[in-house]
């Protein structure tokens, strides 16, 4: 049996089987963290993330659970404390959406809002509440939100409103948990990866990706690793930020300015 490492820092990452969550877990492990890899359906992928974390020098284990269930959130915290005796960081990366054009108002039902809110807004609150007592007077929480919550446009109305709620939750928790616990959010634009490809379909995904890159001031869209680096920076103990909504979208929300014509 592999001996359990005694990491100096411990993190819980929700939705860590894929995408930003998986990339963040790997980066934290490379820094020596003990990481709880939470997932809901991606068991095989989550176990691979655990293996990657161990190879990178951290300690890790996977724990299945739907974080819209408060009991699951409290169990994640309890399992982290039971294994390592502490919690230093929480990354709320689990997310859900519907791909329904915002012009199609009749195609969205009240139940759709509740389902998306449960994962994107209520679960991060429950997770923050579950870890706060164990963090004591130190710790950091990062919510993976979206520019959709600021721009009012995205994959669907339930998604947009849920991310706006998550942004407000970030600021509220920062006020409530200060000074011991810092709370920030990373707001990506489009992110390369399976989530968007599966939701849009291959042809639409490539078209939208190209459009985002062409409009972005930096000429590219983010990868999960880009977002993970920002998350890890916000988790660093010497990061003097709280209550901030940090946009990481390559300048896509700013857009390219019109070309100069040389005419007055």
């Amino acid at each position: 049996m592999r001996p359990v490492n005694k990491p100096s820092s411990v993190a819980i990452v929700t939705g860590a089987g894929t995408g930003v969550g998986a990339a963040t877990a790997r980066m934290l492990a490379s820094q020596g963290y003990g990481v709880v890899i939470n997932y809901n359906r991606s068991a095989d992928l989550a176990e691979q993330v655990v293996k990657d974390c161990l190879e990178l020098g951290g300690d890790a284990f996977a724990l299945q659970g739907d974080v819209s269930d408060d009991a699951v959130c409290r169990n994640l915290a309890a399992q982290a404390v039971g294994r390592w005796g502490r919690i230093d960081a929480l990354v709320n990366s689990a997310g859900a959406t519907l791909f329904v054009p915002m012009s199609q108002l009749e195609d969205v039902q009240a139940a759709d809002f509740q389902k998306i809110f449960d994962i994107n807004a209520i679960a991060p609150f429950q997770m923050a509440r579950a870890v706060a007592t164990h963090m004591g007077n130190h710790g950091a929480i990062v919510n993976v939100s979206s520019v959709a919550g600021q721009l009012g446009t995205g994959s669907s109305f339930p998604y947009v409103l849920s991310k706006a709620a998550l942004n407000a939750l970030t600021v509220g928790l920062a006020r409530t948990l200060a000074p011991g616990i810092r709370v920030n959010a990373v707001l990506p634009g489009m992110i390369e990866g399976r989530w968007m490809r599966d939701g849009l379909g291959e042809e639409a995904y490539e078209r939208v990706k190209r459009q985002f890159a062409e409009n972005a001031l930096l000429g590219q869209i983010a990868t999960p690793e880009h977002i993970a680096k920002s998350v890890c920076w916000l988790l660093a103990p010497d990061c003097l930020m709280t209550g901030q909504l940090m946009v990481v979208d390559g300048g896509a929300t700013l857009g390219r300015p019109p070309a100069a014509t040389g005419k007055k």
Side-chain angles (χ1 to χ4, degrees), residues 67-83:
V67 287
S68 67
D69 183 344
D70 186 51
V72 168
C73 299
R74 295 182 186 275
N75 184 53
L76 285 168
Q79 291 291 330
V81 172
R83 184 178 181 99

Side-chain angles (χ1 to χ4, degrees), residues 185-206:
V186 172
L187 280 59
M190 184 177 182
I191 306 174
E192 289 185 14
R194 190 185 69 177
W195 197 56
M196 287 291 290
R197 183 182 289 106
D198 290 350
L200 294 173
E202 185 67 31
E203 182 178 349
Y205 168 77
E206 292 297 334

Side-chain angles (χ1 to χ4, degrees), residues 20 24 90-93 141-150 159 163 166-167 170 183-189 191 222-235 239 241 243-250:
V20 172
T24 301
L90 166 65
V91 180
N92 284 310
S93 184
I141 298 171
V142 176
N143 297 319
V144 180
S145 185
S146 170
V147 295
Q150 291 184 325
Y159 182 77
K163 291 302 186 177
L166 181 57
N167 293 345
T170 299
V183 187
N184 294 287
V186 172
L187 280 59
I191 306 174
T223 65
E225 288 72 26
H226 283 127
I227 307 306
K229 288 178 181 178
S230 299
V231 171
C232 291
W233 183 77
L234 289 171
L235 291 177
C239 178
M241 289 175 62
Q244 300 303 303
L245 309 175
M246 190 169 76
V247 175
V248 185
D249 71 344

Side-chain angles (χ1 to χ4, degrees), residues 114-162:
Q114 188 61 57
K115 179 180 179 180
I116 302 303
F117 262 75
D118 282 348
I119 295 293
N120 292 358
I122 296 174
F125 169 79
Q126 293 176 164
M127 282 301 311
R129 179 173 61 185
V131 304
T133 300
H134 301 291
M135 285 183 171
N137 291 321
H138 80 285
I141 298 171
V142 176
N143 297 319
V144 180
S145 185
S146 170
V147 295
Q150 291 184 325
L151 299 178
T153 184
S155 54
S156 65
F157 264 111
Y159 182 77
V160 168
L161 269 64
S162 71

